[in-house]
Amino acid sequence: NVVKMMEPDYREKFEEKWEEMKQKLTSFEFEMEYLTGRGKVEPGLISVALVLSPQGNFDGAVLLGINLSKVKEEEKKRLIEERLANMGLLASKLSHELRNVLGAMSNSIYFLGQTLKDNDGKIKRYLEILGQQVDMGTHLVASILDFARPQEPAFYPVSLNQVIQQALEQVPLTQEVEVAMSLDPNLPSISGDAHLLMQVFINLISNSCQAMP
């Protein structure tokens, strides 16, 4: 009956382990998948304890079946948590290295901007674009760090108008982008996390600018 409940891929392997037990007189455990009475396939474990006759020969076995659904689910959660922790550690290290690179680039751009002549308008324009890209990279690094160090939202009264204005100030815009704001001055405060909300609006504004032709 136990063998019949097993999924076909496991039956032959179990029968091999059974014959090996009879020859070597050793108990064993067998992990498999089986079909429940509700027609659902679930993971399980069969523990087979050998029973010997007074003469020391094989006389049968006692089988104990265990459903491993909850165990497998906990293992899956643990693996996901470990992978997320490793990803967070990698993101933190990567962000640190990128921040050093971006800092050096930003300092170089500032130095070049200060040493160039006023009539080098074209070069300064390219430096401006490069500086904007460095700023975008800095925001990206900050987002990676937020992922590496997830925080619980801190809810308190927040002015959406102020959050939107501050978010707009942090997004580098090209000369081709014209912003028209229409904010309701009577908009009441809401309960939320200003930092997380600002990150949402920064992403929305950045994505909108990048999607423009």
Side-chain angles (χ1 to χ4, degrees):
N1 292 337
V2 173
V3 176
K4 290 181 180 179
M5 292 176 61
M6 294 181 189
E7 286 293 281
D9 293 342
Y10 295 93
R11 294 175 188 172
E12 184 177 348
K13 295 179 181 179
F14 180 80
E15 291 173 350
E16 291 177 357
K17 293 286 290 184
W18 181 269
E19 293 300 324
E20 181 180 341
M21 177 195 67
K22 292 166 62 177
Q23 294 175 8
K24 296 183 179 180
L25 300 180
T26 55
S27 302
F28 69 94
E29 291 183 343
F30 186 77
E31 193 169 329
M32 49 76 190
E33 291 181 345
Y34 68 100
L35 187 65
T36 66
R38 294 171 296 177
K40 183 180 179 181
V41 177
E42 293 187 351
L45 176 71
I46 295 179
S47 180
V48 183
L50 180 68
V51 177
L52 299 176
S53 68
Q55 293 75 27
N57 299 320
F58 174 77
D59 196 31
V62 177
L63 279 68
L64 175 64
I66 304 174
N67 187 298
L68 295 179
S69 296
K70 292 184 179 180
V71 175
K72 291 294 184 181
E73 189 65 28
E74 290 300 321
E75 287 182 356
K76 184 178 180 181
K77 290 181 181 179
R78 180 179 56 80
L79 287 174
I80 292 175
E81 290 174 355
E82 288 179 356
R83 289 176 181 176
L84 288 176
N86 290 333
M87 289 175 62
L89 181 61
L90 177 61
S92 180
K93 292 181 178 179
L94 179 62
S95 298
H96 177 73
E97 297 299 328
L98 286 175
R99 189 163 48 185
N100 291 338
V101 173
L102 291 170
M105 293 176 63
S106 180
N107 291 336
S108 298
I109 293 170
Y110 175 80
F111 174 76
L112 289 173
Q114 294 297 313
T115 56
L116 288 173
K117 297 180 180 179
D118 293 337
N119 58 357
D120 292 331
K122 187 176 181 180
I123 295 178
K124 285 194 173 183
R125 174 55 185 157
Y126 282 121
L127 287 176
E128 179 184 345
I129 294 174
L130 184 58
Q132 291 171 352
Q133 295 300 312
V134 169
D135 290 338
M136 291 180 65
T138 302
H139 288 306
L140 178 60
V141 169
S143 299
I144 296 175
L145 285 174
D146 288 339
F147 169 79
R149 299 191 299 265
Q151 300 177 351
E152 289 294 329
F155 292 94
Y156 51 88
V158 177
S159 169
L160 273 182
N161 288 346
Q162 184 177 0
V163 169
I164 293 173
Q165 291 173 342
Q166 291 177 350
L168 189 60
E169 291 174 357
Q170 295 190 36
V171 178
L173 302 175
T174 63
Q175 292 182 347
E176 292 76 14
V177 177
E178 182 178 345
V179 178
M181 284 197 301
S182 179
L183 304 176
D184 185 355
N186 298 318
L187 189 67
S189 299
I190 65 169
S191 178
D193 189 311
H195 174 73
L196 296 179
L197 285 171
M198 185 179 301
Q199 190 59 52
V200 170
F201 284 110
I202 288 175
N203 292 338
L204 287 172
I205 298 170
S206 299
N207 292 340
S208 299
C209 293
Q210 294 173 7
M212 292 182 180

